[in-house]
Amino acid sequence: MKVLVIIPTFNEYKNIELIISKIFKLNKNYNILVIDDSSPDKTSELVSELMKNNSNLHLIKRPGKQGLGTAYCEGFIWALDNGFTKILQIDADLSHNPQDIPKLISKSEEFDLIIGSRYVNGINVVNWPLRRLILSYCANIYSKIITGLPIFDSTGGFKCFNSSVLKSIDLKKVKSNGYSFQIEMNFLAWSKGFSLHEVPIIFCDRTIGESKMSRKIVFEAIKVVPMLRLKKIFGLIK
């Protein structure tokens, strides 16, 4: 079993060293891939320094801000090219607790895609403004009704993929970002017959740095969700 944890970053200088250290404390044999979109705060420069003392830490520095979805897809392709069998995605801001990583990996022995879920056992979100919580919760209800996905948290970004799932998806054709990227990846895996399972987590809003949420991300999700359903109906997703 080769484990890779992918962390996309944009201006996460204040968080990146801490989350890297927390992950390596769990298991020194884990690998971490940071994908940085040329952060003005020099996140990539810090990661490059940390790489000098750890051969399991890797970096892809991209020219300009290209978005979360394309960052993960580039990371997934890198993971498959380098023979990783368990590929995790996690936010850099510590809103996802790295201590939950072994729990996701363990469940991935039984299921193909494991989702760290904020909503499978009620609502497990800390420090979010009420407006943001309502938006997220309603987005997941909307996604579940339209797509038929058998999960409560379609938009969460803390996941563990078995490599077989990612090998089955044409990652170069996945162009969505934010909420819609998470939904699309879940939907593609489910449509291809892979098993999905939710593991309850507690999501804590970031305390350092700024949220990347925007109206554009919300509107994209509203548009992408019915398009996924239509593509499935007309046999464009197999």
Side-chain angles (χ1 to χ4, degrees):
M1 181 172 63
K2 288 185 66 179
V3 175
L4 178 70
V5 182
I6 301 175
I7 310 175
T9 57
F10 184 76
N11 286 346
E12 295 291 354
Y13 186 94
K14 296 178 181 178
N15 291 310
I16 193 62
E17 185 171 4
L18 180 57
I19 191 170
I20 287 172
S21 67
K22 284 180 175 289
I23 292 170
F24 281 138
K25 282 180 181 177
L26 291 172
N27 190 323
K28 64 181 181 180
N29 292 319
Y30 288 167
N31 278 258
I32 297 173
L33 172 63
V34 176
I35 304 176
D36 185 71
D37 278 3
S38 295
S39 297
D41 72 351
K42 301 187 184 302
T43 300
S44 62
E45 283 83 346
L46 176 55
V47 175
S48 294
E49 283 299 311
L50 298 173
M51 288 171 62
K52 295 176 181 178
N53 297 314
N54 198 320
S55 60
N56 284 2
L57 178 60
H58 315 277
L59 172 68
I60 295 176
K61 184 175 180 180
R62 307 199 305 169
K65 192 174 182 181
Q66 300 179 46
L68 183 74
T70 59
Y72 272 130
C73 286
E74 191 165 337
F76 294 155
I77 292 168
W78 188 93
L80 296 177
D81 287 345
N82 287 276
F84 289 95
T85 56
K86 306 288 182 182
I87 300 102
L88 294 99
Q89 57 176 70
I90 190 170
D91 288 351
D93 61 10
L94 296 167
S95 55
H96 303 138
N97 188 348
Q99 294 291 332
D100 289 326
I101 288 175
K103 186 165 59 173
L104 270 64
I105 293 174
S106 176
K107 274 296 178 183
S108 73
E109 294 299 305
E110 304 173 52
F111 302 93
D112 301 307
L113 169 55
I114 309 301
I115 299 161
S117 178
R118 300 161 293 181
Y119 304 124
V120 68
N121 286 342
I123 297 175
N124 293 310
V125 176
V126 178
N127 292 335
W128 254 7
L130 182 59
R131 179 176 175 274
R132 179 80 182 274
L133 177 58
I134 292 172
L135 175 64
S136 173
Y137 193 73
C138 289
N140 280 286
I141 293 174
Y142 170 72
S143 172
K144 187 177 176 70
I145 291 172
I146 300 297
T147 65
L149 274 166
I151 54 178
F152 291 93
D153 193 351
S154 295
T155 63
F158 190 17
K159 301 178 185 178
C160 178
F161 291 88
N162 283 330
S163 58
S164 56
V165 178
L166 298 177
K167 286 176 182 177
S168 76
I169 297 171
D170 188 346
L171 296 167
K172 293 181 179 179
K173 291 185 178 180
V174 179
K175 301 299 182 183
S176 53
N177 278 297
Y179 278 169
S180 58
F181 170 75
Q182 309 298 355
I183 297 168
E184 183 173 2
M185 291 298 294
N186 294 335
F187 189 78
L188 290 173
W190 178 61
S191 296
K192 291 174 180 293
F194 291 102
S195 56
L196 280 60
H197 181 76
E198 292 178 276
V199 171
I201 63 166
I202 296 175
F203 178 94
C204 296
D205 194 20
R206 66 160 68 231
T207 58
I208 299 173
E210 297 179 358
S211 171
K212 310 301 190 301
M213 179 55 62
S214 68
R215 288 184 181 180
K216 180 181 178 181
I217 289 173
V218 175
F219 289 136
E220 182 187 33
I222 293 171
K223 181 178 68 174
V224 166
V225 168
M227 288 302 298
L228 290 172
R229 182 65 175 177
L230 288 171
K231 286 180 179 180
K232 179 67 174 177
I233 291 171
F234 289 105
L236 299 177
I237 295 177
K238 299 177 181 180

